[in-house]
Structure formats: C-alpha cells, structure tokens
Amino acid sequence: MGRPTIDDVARAAGVTKATVSHAYSGKRPISATTKARIFAAAERLDWVPSSRARALAARRANAVGVVLSRDPAILASDAFFPAFISGVESVLAGHEIALVLQMVTGRTAEERAYRAMASGRADGVIVLDLHRVDWRVPYLRDLRLPAVLLGAYDAENPFSTVRTDDATPVRELVAHLRALGHTRIAHVSGPLDYVHSHARAAAYVESVGGDELLREGDFTAGSGRALTAELLGLPDRPTAVLYANDTMAIAGYSYARSRGLEVPADLAVAGFDDDHLSAHLSPALTSVSSDPFRRGKVAAERLLADLAGEPAESVTVDCTVLRLRASTAGPAPEAHPTPLEEELS
Amino acid sequence: MGRPTIDDVARAAGVTKATVSHAYSGKRPISATTKARIFAAAERLDWVPSSRARALAARRANAVGVVLSRDPAILASDAFFPAFISGVESVLAGHEIALVLQMVTGRTAEERAYRAMASGRADGVIVLDLHRVDWRVPYLRDLRLPAVLLGAYDAENPFSTVRTDDATPVRELVAHLRALGHTRIAHVSGPLDYVHSHARAAAYVESVGGDELLREGDFTAGSGRALTAELLGLPDRPTAVLYANDTMAIAGYSYARSRGLEVPADLAVAGFDDDHLSAHLSPALTSVSSDPFRRGKVAAERLLADLAGEPAESVTVDCTVLRLRASTAGPAPEAHPTPLEEELS
DNA sequence: GTTCACGGTAAAACCGGTTTGATGAACCGG
DNA sequence: CCGGTTCATCAAACCGGTTTTACCGTGAAC
C-alpha cells in the first residue's frame, strides 16, 4: 500500500530492522553478505527511509533554518538575499541537509518561528540583519538553539559569528572621492540600529570627521529619494553622496537628475552591495560588492561545524571589493553651484 | 533537563498525554476545567510540542518544498525568485507551515531532493521552471507527492497548475512597437524548452509572422550581449528587440550603446519581468511586470487546497502589466542606418 | 428501575526509524 | 580444553507525539 518501511526491507532481507539500520549507519559491523542482501532488498522495494521517523529517533532534523523578518516588499528588491541563500545551499547540498525558511513580520511571529525551529524543524539557525542590541541573541541562547550570527555582535554571547569588514570600503570610497577633490561628502545610511548600517555610518563619520551630512535611511528607494532631496536642498549642498545600498543610490541619482544635475559631473554617487544591474546603468554605479554568496557559504560551514560539536568561533570574511565606476569618475565640481533652480524642475 | 515533553505536561496537570493532545487538537471534547489545568501546566513548563514527533505521528510535515535546479549564479541575479518566495511565505506563515528549500544541480541531485521531500520533509512541492516535456511530472506522480506546477503543462497530469498569460503582453509589445513604426522587431528568448520561454517566443513569432529575428538565449547577461551582437550584425538589422528578461535586455542595450547606437532613437529595447531597478535606468526600460509575489501566493494557496483534499485545479493568474517606458519611446528610426561603424568602438 | 446515549478520561497501540543490552558463534592465547 | 574477546545479529526499549479502544459516571428515555 503505502511506502515501504524499514520493517518491509528487514523482512525481505530476512533480518531485523536493527540490522538494516546498522547496515546503513555503520554503527555496528554487519557482514558483507548480509549487507548485500539488505541493500538488494531495499533497492528492490525502492525504500527511502522516512525522514520524519529518522528525525524523531535521531533527535536531529537534518535541516538548518533562516527566519527573515523583513518586509516581503523589501526582500523582493534586495540583491543580498538570493545570493546569500545560494551560498548557504551550496554547502548544505553536499550534506543532505535542507534549508527551512520562514518569513515573518512582527516580534511575536518571529519568536514563534524561532520556537518552531527549536521544536525540531531545524538543528540550528543563521541569524541575519543583526541589530546592535538584538533580543534574538539572548532568546536563542535560552532556547538552546545553535546559531550563527551574521555580523559582529559585541555583547557577550555564546554563538559563532561571521563578520565582514564594512569599514574599510567606506574609508576607501571617501579617500577616493577626496582624491577627486570632493570636500562635501554625504552619506545616506541604512537604519542605524543594524550592526552593518552602523558600522558603515561610523566609518563614514570617522573618515569625513563629522555627521553633518549623515542621513538615516531605510534601504528603500523612497527614503533614498527623500533624503537626497533633503541633502540637495542644503545651502551648501554635498557634491558626493554615499548610499548604504544600490537601491537608494539609484533612487537618489534619478532624483538628482530630475532636478537637472549631471552624474557624476554635478554630483558623484556611490552605492553598496553591487546589485547585478548596477554595472549596466549609465553612468555605471560605483558600488561595493560584498560577495553575499561567499558569506552564505562561510556561515553555513560555520553552523555545520557548530553542530558537529566544534566550539563556537568568530570568523571574518574578507570579501568586499570596491567597484569604481563612472558615477564617481572625474574631478569634483569646481565650487558648489548656486542652489538648484527649483523652478526649472 | 531537556525540553519538557507532553508527558511532563500531562503529569503536571494530573491527566494522561492523550488528554493533553485532545485538549489542543479538539478532536475529543475535554471539559473546560481540565483544559484550563492543562494549558496552565503547559504554560508553566514552557512546553512546545516537538514538531518531529508530531510530524511522525500525524504523517504530515507541515512544510512545503521547493526544489530549485538553477545555477546559483543565475538565481542570484534573478528578480523573480525572491518575490515569488515572498508570496509563497505570505500564505504559509498564517498556517504555521514552513518552506523547505533545496538547491541542486543535475538531474540525479534533483531526483534525490524530490525523494527527500517525498520521504517526509514536505507534504507537497511547488514546481518552477517547467519544461515543455518535463520528467518531473511523471516522477512526482510516481512518488505520489502532491505538487503544484507553475506554468501551463499540456500533457496529461494529475496536478494543479498556476498559469499566467505570457502571450498577451508580448502581442501588446509588438503592437506597440509596430504603432511606433518598427517593422524589424527581434526577440531574444529564454531557453525554448521552458514553457514560459516558449509561450513568449511563440506569441512573438505569431505576432511578427516569422522567426527570422528570433534568437534563443539563456537569461544570462552574456547571452543577451552575444545575441544582440549577432542581431546588430545582420545586413538588415532590427530596430527593436524584445528580450525575455531584463538582465538580457540591459546587457543588450549596453552593448548597442557601446557600438554607438542610441536607445531608443536607434534601437528600441524591451525586457520582461520588470526588475526593480529597470524603472530607474536611463532610458528607463520598458518591461512586463508579472507580479511574482502574487503568483507565489496563488501557488501556495492552491497547494494548501490540494493538501486539504480538494481536487486538483488549474488556475490562471492575470497579473501581467505592460510598463511602457523610455526605452521604447519615440518613432522608429527612419531607415536602418548603415551597418555599424565597428571601427569606432 | 433498567437501558441507552454520551461526555470525559485513561490505557494502549502506533508512526518508522535509532540505539542499547543480550546472545550465540567463532576465534585466540595459555 | 577453557575463559575471555570479538563479531554479527536479534529483541526490545525509546524518541514524543496522535489516534483508537475501552471504560466509567450521569442524565434522559421508556
């Protein structure tokens, strides 16, 4: 009737199910002839062991989880996520481990999702979009759910972390713009309670020596546009803007253009994360590629190591590459042109 | 020590575990007072039922699967997937159902992945990137694994399908270009053994009345570029090109520009799938938005309906919207300019 | 005043594997 | 030739729930 079970195989091979189990797991020696009989029977019956039963008995799901609390709309326009997941899967695939994904909105739903993971859906999780003070860290500790954190988490915690140096590329970008003659360099950041946004913003502030031209965005095109408008409306407007992602950068430079500014002649623009289309825009967008695929790989490897019993460890992935393109080419504008002729828009 | 089990709760409430189970499932009436005692005990012990045990006993994983056989590199530069998954999750989240993702390369790995799903990881799967003759359809039938197919599958099959009308937007695009005066309209398709690529290409061939200017690409920027080069090298080159996705379209129009052509003045360009950056390119790219979020939603709802025992059904999602933008604006070029001055590149 | 239906709970079987303890046969040194 | 290993296998317990069966007490029906 239904799918064959281990008992069917055992019966067909003339042994008990314990022997079948051992033949596959190798945890007890089984004679070659018996093994052959068992494998033949399994083959003939087309037996696939029930992953449900296996998970219960072995107390392990053979799956790792990712809980995403992003707004679906933002996720859909994000270059990071699919590449990151690809990297994770590239590691898991070789171990017959599956990826369990849950997308939630709201703290309650997120807690529920993590409890579900801890209740046996997954053996461990990868935590993205870490906040500077993140409730999930103590929460996961209390759940005793193995986890790998993506991004530096300073406070005491028992988890492995996968860090990336976000500061260096920002410093390099600022240096690059300075070399071109820019003195008024602005930054439109992501939400500053994210560790990565904060790290980038901090490196920016340190590089330019102040936060006068720092504006906090939220990674959406809308905020990129609005904050660009605000910056360009300043009496002494910036001649260059660094955005925390490409979506905001593109929204920003579209807006600047709509007000009659040329990129990069009147305004230099740089993004972050190097969306796959950014190189094809015109002018092509300077950005920082951060190899999310590789970070996904490293995070998955680290989690598997944790699950194998190795002690937690913090690894740093050196994966950011500055992609200098046309949007920051050429010398800085001479002086700051008179405030925009807004009536011309 | 470990997490509390249903037995611990039962003991604390002074009942048997069967009663606890029934109190939650409601499959047997339990008096209000007993229920209250059970819930209080569960709360106090912080009991979360083991999803592993539940899956085994109830013969259902409370999860649905998606197996992706795309090359990770392609996936990472694809606008469709994250939005589609968001749509799927938006439905699953409300039912406490998880999404199990497996990315594989190669038929063997893909079969293994589906067998894993069938062995209890998932209660059903959503099948993407359907081929015109797809081995997965009979394979899944043999596995008796509930599935929803995304895209029209003509051959006899027992599954629900979620269709989209790909032909109409193509016809509209061709009509639009014709109205602008274009007579030489080319199409760079996706692999023609995919049902959706084929449907688009077929609609194109029907509209323009021939396949002289049809070229088969593979959705990558590289193929977009190469096939554009080929088309522009023709003695009587096209004045407009329809691409099967935005990535190829952008690669194509970058290439055309590098050869000194203006878009849209010398070459009109249209994409497909409406990447979130396409509207921000300059000129903005005409494309066909196909609302992958909504298709994900519908596919998930359909699968849940199948799992609930409803008979398989084929639903059509009407979700394509033509986004006419600058890349196809203006009249067609007068005549076909002399073959490109290749020496100028 | 028995009979019957039914609400409420206990007891036990079951889901399909893994793991552990026991057993018998072969092997081995003294 | 005997006690002690080692090897191969069986039998049973176990993982933590769900589901089925059985049983008891009570109020309604006859």
Side-chain angles (χ1 to χ4, degrees):
Chain A
M1 252 312 309
R3 303 181 203 290
T5 73
I6 195 173
D7 275 313
D8 299 326
V9 175
R11 206 170 308 121
V15 297
T16 63
K17 61 179 185 172
T19 307
V20 176
S21 179
H22 288 136
Y24 280 93
S25 71
K27 299 204 172 175
R28 287 273 177 95
I30 299 291
S31 71
T33 57
T34 309
K35 253 189 204 166
R37 236 178 32 242
I38 291 173
F39 294 159
E43 178 84 14
R44 182 154 27 86
L45 295 178
D46 197 26
W47 175 63
V48 180
S50 153
S51 42
R52 297 200 272 249
R54 193 195 291 251
L56 177 60
R59 295 172 195 70
R60 107 191 294 272
N62 285 310
V64 308
V66 170
V67 177
L68 279 177
S69 55
R70 307 186 186 187
D71 175 0
I74 295 188
L75 177 76
S77 67
D78 176 29
F80 173 84
F81 176 69
F84 181 81
I85 290 296
S86 295
V88 171
E89 285 277 3
S90 74
V91 172
L92 300 186
H95 297 255
E96 304 267 316
I97 291 182
L99 180 70
V100 178
L101 203 60
Q102 289 213 270
M103 285 182 39
V104 298
T105 36
R107 163 107 180 224
T108 326
E110 196 169 357
E111 288 188 359
R112 204 167 47 227
Y114 278 118
R115 294 173 68 109
M117 295 288 179
S119 81
R121 269 197 196 301
D123 302 316
V125 295
I126 297 176
V127 180
L128 303 178
D129 293 333
L130 210 59
H131 286 69
R132 279 199 292 158
V133 175
D134 203 311
W135 62 268
R136 294 173 295 179
V137 173
Y139 195 79
L140 291 172
R141 178 173 34 68
D142 292 347
L143 282 177
R144 295 213 225 50
L145 183 62
V148 166
L149 312 180
L150 202 71
Y153 195 73
D154 294 326
E156 190 62 23
N157 78 80
F159 299 118
S160 287
T161 59
V162 174
R163 297 160 186 263
T164 310
D165 179 8
D166 283 306
T168 301
V170 171
R171 281 193 217 105
E172 288 172 359
L173 262 177
V174 170
H176 170 68
L177 291 167
R178 279 255 176 72
L180 293 174
H182 290 275
T183 55
R184 301 278 294 164
I185 303 173
H187 178 45
V188 175
S189 73
L192 290 176
D193 49 349
Y194 284 128
V195 291
H196 51 284
S197 295
H198 184 262
R200 292 171 196 178
Y204 158 80
V205 169
E206 181 209 330
S207 293
V208 304
D211 64 359
E212 181 203 343
L213 296 176
L214 170 66
R215 296 294 182 280
E216 180 176 356
D218 64 4
F219 290 130
T220 64
S223 80
R225 181 184 174 82
L227 295 172
T228 304
E230 184 184 327
L231 287 166
L232 293 183
L234 291 177
D236 192 14
R237 73 162 178 87
T239 60
V241 186
L242 265 46
Y243 295 84
N245 72 353
D246 284 12
T247 301
M248 291 194 294
I250 290 162
Y253 97 29
S254 292
Y255 173 76
R257 271 183 179 159
S258 75
R259 294 194 44 175
L261 296 180
E262 292 279 322
V263 174
D266 300 321
L267 186 73
V269 166
F272 218 103
D273 279 348
D274 199 27
D275 190 286
H276 74 290
L277 290 189
S278 297
H280 296 286
L281 304 170
S282 75
L285 180 67
T286 287
S287 193
V288 176
S289 105
S290 60
D291 206 348
F293 183 88
R294 175 132 161 265
R295 286 153 77 192
K297 242 178 97 154
V298 172
E301 282 163 353
R302 193 50 244 169
L303 181 54
L304 292 188
D306 283 1
L307 293 178
E310 293 181 25
E313 189 183 325
S314 172
V315 301
T316 299
V317 184
D318 176 22
C319 60
T320 56
V321 178
L322 210 52
R323 308 274 184 207
L324 295 178
R325 303 202 180 98
S327 70
T328 57
E334 261 314 304
H336 315 117
T338 55
L340 298 169
E341 321 87 316
E342 310 198 297
E343 64 281 3
L344 280 193
S345 81
Chain B
M1 246 321 306
R3 302 181 205 289
T5 73
I6 196 174
D7 275 313
D8 299 326
V9 174
R11 206 172 308 121
V15 296
T16 64
K17 60 180 185 171
T19 307
V20 175
S21 179
H22 287 136
Y24 279 93
S25 71
K27 300 204 171 175
R28 286 278 175 96
I30 300 291
S31 70
T33 57
T34 308
K35 255 189 204 166
R37 236 177 33 240
I38 291 173
F39 293 159
E43 177 84 12
R44 183 154 26 88
L45 296 177
D46 196 24
W47 174 63
V48 181
S50 154
S51 42
R52 297 199 272 251
R54 193 196 294 253
L56 177 59
R59 294 172 196 71
R60 106 193 298 269
N62 285 308
V64 307
V66 170
V67 177
L68 278 177
S69 58
R70 306 188 184 185
D71 175 0
I74 296 188
L75 177 76
S77 67
D78 176 29
F80 173 84
F81 176 68
F84 181 81
I85 290 296
S86 295
V88 171
E89 286 278 4
S90 74
V91 172
L92 300 185
H95 298 255
E96 304 267 316
I97 292 183
L99 179 70
V100 178
L101 201 62
Q102 289 213 269
M103 287 183 40
V104 298
T105 35
R107 162 106 181 225
T108 327
E110 196 170 357
E111 289 188 359
R112 204 167 45 228
Y114 278 117
R115 294 174 66 107
M117 296 289 180
S119 81
R121 269 198 196 300
D123 302 316
V125 294
I126 297 176
V127 180
L128 303 178
D129 293 333
L130 210 59
H131 287 68
R132 279 199 292 157
V133 176
D134 203 310
W135 61 267
R136 294 175 294 181
V137 173
Y139 195 79
L140 291 172
R141 178 174 30 68
D142 291 347
L143 283 177
R144 296 213 227 48
L145 183 62
V148 166
L149 312 179
L150 201 72
Y153 196 72
D154 294 327
E156 189 62 23
N157 78 80
F159 300 118
S160 287
T161 60
V162 174
R163 298 160 186 262
T164 310
D165 179 9
D166 284 306
T168 302
V170 171
R171 281 192 217 104
E172 288 173 0
L173 263 177
V174 170
H176 170 67
L177 291 167
R178 281 254 176 71
L180 294 173
H182 290 275
T183 54
R184 302 277 295 162
I185 302 173
H187 178 46
V188 175
S189 73
L192 290 176
D193 49 350
Y194 285 127
V195 291
H196 51 283
S197 296
H198 184 263
R200 293 171 196 177
Y204 158 81
V205 169
E206 180 210 327
S207 293
V208 304
D211 63 359
E212 181 203 342
L213 295 176
L214 170 65
R215 295 295 181 280
E216 180 176 356
D218 64 3
F219 289 132
T220 65
S223 80
R225 182 184 175 83
L227 295 171
T228 304
E230 186 185 326
L231 287 166
L232 293 183
L234 292 177
D236 192 14
R237 73 160 178 87
T239 60
V241 186
L242 264 47
Y243 295 84
N245 72 353
D246 284 12
T247 301
M248 292 195 294
I250 289 161
Y253 98 25
S254 293
Y255 173 77
R257 271 185 180 158
S258 75
R259 292 191 49 175
L261 296 180
E262 292 280 322
V263 174
D266 300 322
L267 186 73
V269 166
F272 218 103
D273 278 352
D274 198 28
D275 190 285
H276 74 290
L277 291 188
S278 297
H280 295 285
L281 304 169
S282 73
L285 181 67
T286 288
S287 193
V288 176
S289 105
S290 60
D291 205 348
F293 183 89
R294 176 131 162 265
R295 286 153 78 192
K297 244 180 96 156
V298 172
E301 282 164 353
R302 192 52 242 169
L303 182 53
L304 293 188
D306 283 2
L307 293 178
E310 293 180 25
E313 189 182 326
S314 172
V315 303
T316 299
V317 185
D318 174 24
C319 59
T320 55
V321 178
L322 210 51
R323 307 274 185 209
L324 295 177
R325 303 201 181 100
S327 71
T328 57
E334 262 313 306
H336 316 117
T338 54
L340 298 169
E341 322 87 316
E342 310 200 296
E343 64 282 0
L344 280 195
S345 84

